[in-house]
Amino acid sequence: MTTSSYSPPAGEPWPEAAHYPPPEVPRPDPVRPDPAPLFPEQPLPPAGPKGFATWPDRLRTLPARAWRGRADDPRWVRPALLALLAATAVLYLWGLSASGWANSFYSAAVQAGSQSWKAFFFGSSDAANFITVDKPPASLWPMALSARIFGLSSWSVLAPQALMGAATVGVLYATVRRRFSPLGGLLAGAALALTPVAALMFRFNNPDALLVLLLTLAAYGMVRAVEAAGTRWLVFTGVMFGLAFLTKTLAAFLVLPAFAVIYLVVAPTGLWRRVRQTLLAGAALLVSGGWWVAVVELMPASARPYIGGSQDNSFLSLTFGYNGLGRVDGNERGSVGGGARMPAGVDLPGGAAPGGGRGWGQTGLTRMFGTDIGGQIAWLLPAALILLLAGLWATRRYGRADTARAAFLVWGGWLLSTALVFSFMSGIFHQYYTVALAPAVAALVGMGVDGLWRARHRVPWALVLAGTLAVTAVWAFVLLGRSSGFLPWLRWAVLAGGLLAAAALAAGPFVGRVSGRAGARIASVAGLVGLAAALGGPAAYAVDTVDSPHTGSIVTAGPGVKGGSGPGGMGHRGGKGFPGGTGNGNGHWFGQGGPGAPGGQGAFAGGQGGQGGQGGQQGFAPGQGFPGGGTGNGGDRANGRHERGTGGGTGLPGTQDPEGTGTDGTNSPGGTAGGPPPGGMGGLLDGPKVTDEVAAMLKQNADHYTWAAAAIGSQTAAGYQLATGEPVMALGGFNGTDPSLTLAGFQKYVQEGKVHWFIGAGGSRRGFGGGAGGEGGQQSESAQIESWVTAHFTAKTIGSTTFYDLTAPTS
């Protein structure tokens, strides 16, 4: 018999519903019956009629059913759920346009998809279909459709993500509610909505928003499939995984092995039927995720855009290399971390990583709790782990097919498999990746609290509940202490409230034996105070995240943290420091930075960056900029030519890696002092700010050309494309290093009059586009094109950027 957890009689409001103890229900196959199980079995709501003939009636009654909810739910449940969804939507939509184009890399692809159906299908960076983004296109499709319907704007690009966030909260509630009480489902939904990294990514245009929604739908399908060994729900789960693959390739499969094993073990049917159903679900995954891949791989390369991020124009190599196994082992050809041509001893972007992160932070079991990651996701992570163990222990004697234990296995498998991969992967790792953990953490908290709250009158479980709350409060105190300037009173309020509530819950069983009514009131007040203490920290971080604009390729939630090791979001109060750690400390990236720890790698701070230590102590020598030229001041403020150069100067010396490519040429040209910044890390991480004068120049006679301009790197090209509305060729893809076009191919385009302008990369971008090549190194294709253009065409400088008219060769 499939089951659902106990609910009090309809109309009974919370918290008085807690007065009703769970009834004694026989187990389907008890070994040693538990007189008061944490998760008592109750029949699931009856299944409605199936078939196409029933759809008109189901649609007609949908508004009433949506408002009323399940017949066995108290009347307060559905209004509470609708209020939660509405509050989530408001939170995620509030001030959404403040982030502008957010990640201009994807916004430019959305613009292209709103202009060209071919660009829409392939996920091209430009409407002329020169190159794609370095991900499959599924996450771009909702945004491109929104732009086609409502016109291209920041709101039309970002609003679909916010709505996906509200939808994810609703799906999570429905998944938890299948087996647990409404209280557990609502708590899980609220915990997800207030997770800081969720508040960040559901307001941003990276693929992660759609990925999390699809994986949550897959978990819902898995829970439904396990209830009665339902084939159609297992096939639904496979389809969700396939669509998730088309969103972010192998990142979608981190939880797939755990789900497959769980179904094969616990589904209430025969072994061979379980095997056949799993194979059928795998076939559904292959079809739903493989059809687009088959089209791309079978189509002649000349008939489609270049596959961005790949080194051989193959989506399969992109999937299993740069976007797949390379993220785990760090062997990522063409990436910043693994494939960038950096000088010996220089890691990007987080400096040296003793734990094996190769510049992307220290790896190990504590990574998810680290300085700059803990505030993103880890607020309730200790509680989720404790409650997972408690749930598995409480259900240890249940039957193999028990749905409560299956739910803990599903969400626990999601959490552990994803967290372990994130903790030990040595390739590219950004803080916002942790949003993939948010639904699992929230679900485990909701399910665990549901059972412990019901059994709080029993001393052992009351102590577990109180201990979990105390650990959560102490951990929140630690996390809030990392942002000492952010609401300093909050950490003490959270600590005091959490510990007092924990003490009251621990004493509840003893008080209840003396006076049942007094014990119930104490438990109710303690529950409310404990809930506020547990969610107070993440809620404050989430509100701060919503209140701050975020742009660029690497963004983080919440306020700055002391000793952060990763780059912050461009435009989020100037960023949070790069490379951080002992380098920038909590200094800002490109804004007026705060103080950093002495002796850090201050030369990374571009423009008027934060104080990065004494010149070159443990960093670069005074007077040497990064990444290409410029003169630092020495002293305690390193003004290397990164955003704003102070003139020419010497770039980092070229080096030769195993592939023979150079890092940076010497004597890279410096920009004009105080000129407009070309974008994060010289255009690598954020698009440039384009003036009206430049936009007007590029748009002039643009309809006579296939591409109004060409630029090295997708972010640089995206800034100009979004400003002009015209296609801009992104040479070399995201990093400027993809072999997307040879010099001969570009010369042919110029001869045919297909490109009007070339946008000079300048010193700040050379290192990532292949530069001018160090001694013994060789130039990348993009650098060869730039060298040829600068030698043969007329230059025009506006601000700090040089443009070359490809229709006006020099004499």
Side-chain angles (χ1 to χ4, degrees):
M1 180 176 68
T2 56
T3 61
S4 175
S5 63
Y6 169 76
S7 298
E12 191 69 39
W14 189 85
E16 285 78 5
H19 296 171
Y20 292 87
E24 294 185 16
V25 181
R27 312 303 301 174
D29 185 20
V31 178
R32 293 164 59 186
D34 187 348
L38 262 68
F39 311 107
E41 296 191 2
Q42 293 292 323
L44 289 168
K50 301 178 178 64
F52 293 105
T54 64
W55 277 104
D57 288 338
R58 297 176 72 177
L59 292 176
R60 178 176 54 81
T61 60
L62 179 61
R65 289 185 290 112
W67 175 255
R68 177 61 186 91
R70 289 170 49 158
D72 59 340
D73 277 349
R75 291 190 177 276
W76 59 265
V77 171
R78 190 46 59 104
L81 172 61
L82 296 177
L84 172 63
L85 296 179
T88 302
V90 170
L91 177 68
Y92 291 170
L93 289 169
W94 189 268
L96 195 60
S97 59
S99 293
W101 295 118
N103 190 342
S104 56
F105 176 59
Y106 293 116
S107 291
V110 171
Q111 179 199 53
S114 68
Q115 296 173 346
S116 163
W117 286 112
K118 182 177 180 179
F120 176 93
F121 179 82
F122 288 106
S124 300
S125 293
D126 61 281
N129 292 285
F130 172 70
I131 194 171
T132 70
V133 297
D134 57 4
K135 301 290 187 298
S139 66
L140 301 173
W141 291 341
M143 293 183 284
L145 289 175
S146 175
R148 281 182 176 270
I149 296 172
F150 301 106
L152 182 70
S153 66
S154 174
W155 183 271
S156 65
V157 170
L158 299 179
Q161 316 295 93
L163 297 179
M164 289 176 196
T168 305
V169 170
V171 174
L172 182 65
Y173 167 85
T175 308
V176 173
R177 180 65 184 99
R178 290 294 301 180
R179 180 57 180 84
F180 302 90
S181 73
L183 177 62
L186 291 170
L187 178 57
L192 173 61
L194 295 176
T195 301
V197 71
L200 171 69
M201 296 315 295
F202 285 122
R203 293 168 50 85
F204 207 70
N205 58 336
N206 278 21
D208 302 78
L210 181 59
L211 174 69
V212 172
L213 172 59
L214 292 171
L215 291 181
T216 308
L217 285 167
Y220 178 81
M222 177 60 60
V223 169
R224 293 292 300 266
V226 167
E227 289 174 359
T231 301
R232 67 186 185 117
W233 282 110
L234 196 61
V235 170
F236 171 84
T237 300
V239 172
M240 293 301 102
F241 274 116
L243 296 177
F245 172 81
L246 289 182
T247 301
K248 206 174 178 183
T249 58
L250 297 188
F253 294 164
L254 293 181
V255 301
L256 179 61
F259 278 22
V261 171
I262 290 167
Y263 188 82
L264 287 171
V265 172
V266 307
T269 187
L271 175 61
W272 291 113
R273 183 167 184 261
R274 281 176 264 158
V275 172
R276 290 195 300 270
Q277 288 176 318
T278 303
L279 293 176
L280 186 60
L285 184 158
L286 185 63
V287 172
S288 60
W291 66 272
W292 184 87
V293 179
V295 171
V296 171
E297 290 296 306
L298 294 175
M299 180 174 290
S302 59
R304 59 167 173 79
Y306 185 91
I307 303 301
S310 71
Q311 299 300 297
D312 56 1
N313 201 11
S314 168
F315 182 79
L316 290 178
S317 67
L318 173 67
T319 298
F320 294 102
Y322 174 68
N323 274 343
L325 300 179
R327 301 281 170 127
V328 177
D329 61 19
N331 184 21
E332 302 166 289
R333 286 190 61 202
S335 79
V336 178
R341 283 72 180 172
M342 299 304 300
V346 178
D347 280 322
L348 280 177
R358 296 190 61 184
W360 302 103
Q362 185 171 351
T363 60
L365 287 175
T366 60
R367 191 181 203 179
M368 297 299 100
F369 303 91
T371 302
D372 54 346
I373 296 178
Q376 310 295 304
I377 187 62
W379 298 89
L380 299 175
L381 185 53
L385 295 173
I386 295 172
L387 295 172
L388 171 60
L389 293 176
L392 294 178
W393 176 261
T395 59
R396 68 192 185 281
R397 296 171 181 164
Y398 291 10
R400 175 182 63 83
D402 180 78
T403 52
R405 183 170 58 189
F408 277 103
L409 290 174
V410 166
W411 293 110
W414 177 334
L415 175 63
L416 294 179
S417 59
T418 305
L420 287 174
V421 172
F422 284 172
S423 296
F424 290 98
M425 60 188 288
S426 58
I428 294 177
F429 180 80
H430 300 312
Q431 297 92 327
Y432 65 79
Y433 288 0
T434 57
V435 70
L437 298 171
V441 171
L444 289 170
V445 169
M447 298 187 307
V449 171
D450 171 55
L452 293 179
W453 180 257
R454 186 183 296 107
R456 69 190 182 280
H457 58 283
R458 298 167 59 188
V459 174
W461 296 123
L463 294 178
V464 173
L465 178 61
T468 303
L469 178 56
V471 169
T472 301
V474 172
W475 178 235
F477 180 81
V478 173
L479 290 177
L480 289 168
R482 295 175 179 176
S483 306
S484 57
F486 176 72
L487 301 179
W489 59 268
L490 180 61
R491 62 192 303 246
W492 296 103
V494 165
L495 180 65
L499 293 180
L500 288 174
L505 290 172
F510 305 100
V511 176
R513 293 173 184 175
V514 177
S515 172
R517 183 173 296 275
R521 290 176 177 174
I522 291 174
S524 299
V525 174
L528 292 174
V529 173
L531 180 65
L535 296 182
Y541 262 51
V543 171
D544 179 82
T545 301
V546 169
D547 192 47
S548 305
H550 294 80
T551 59
S553 297
I554 305 176
V555 289
T556 54
V561 295
K562 183 178 181 180
S565 61
M570 315 298 294
H572 177 53
R573 296 176 179 170
K576 290 194 177 67
F578 176 81
T582 58
N584 270 2
N586 196 31
H588 293 302
W589 197 348
F590 296 114
Q592 295 296 326
Q601 297 191 12
F604 274 97
Q608 298 297 319
Q611 296 179 2
Q614 299 296 323
Q617 294 181 13
Q618 300 180 15
F620 296 102
Q624 190 175 43
F626 175 81
T631 302
N633 289 342
D636 60 0
R637 185 183 287 273
N639 292 329
R641 197 251 188 260
H642 183 67
E643 256 197 29
R644 305 187 182 192
T646 55
T650 303
L652 294 179
T655 57
Q656 186 171 4
D657 65 14
E659 299 175 12
T661 51
T663 298
D664 253 334
T666 57
N667 298 321
S668 300
T672 304
M681 283 185 63
L684 178 68
L685 299 180
D686 198 6
K689 303 298 185 289
V690 180
T691 65
D692 293 340
E693 179 185 3
V694 170
M697 181 190 73
L698 296 180
K699 287 194 293 185
Q700 187 174 6
N701 297 324
D703 55 342
H704 296 167
Y705 303 90
T706 305
W707 293 277
I712 296 178
S714 295
Q715 286 284 21
T716 300
Y720 292 98
Q721 180 171 299
L722 290 168
T724 62
E726 304 292 341
V728 176
M729 178 186 291
L731 294 168
F734 184 84
N735 298 324
T737 57
D738 296 346
S740 53
L741 186 64
T742 63
L743 174 59
F746 187 79
Q747 290 172 334
K748 185 173 183 291
Y749 281 145
V750 173
Q751 184 180 9
E752 294 172 350
K754 292 186 176 181
V755 189
H756 189 183
W757 294 94
F758 182 89
I759 303 169
S764 65
R765 191 67 171 86
R766 283 179 179 268
F768 301 101
E775 295 182 8
Q778 80 181 47
Q779 291 180 317
S780 68
E781 285 84 353
S782 301
Q784 293 177 35
I785 291 172
E786 183 183 22
S787 298
W788 176 73
V789 168
T790 57
H792 293 86
F793 293 92
T794 303
K796 179 178 182 179
T797 300
I798 301 178
S800 63
T801 306
T802 302
F803 301 86
Y804 297 87
D805 188 346
L806 300 181
T807 65
T810 60
S811 58

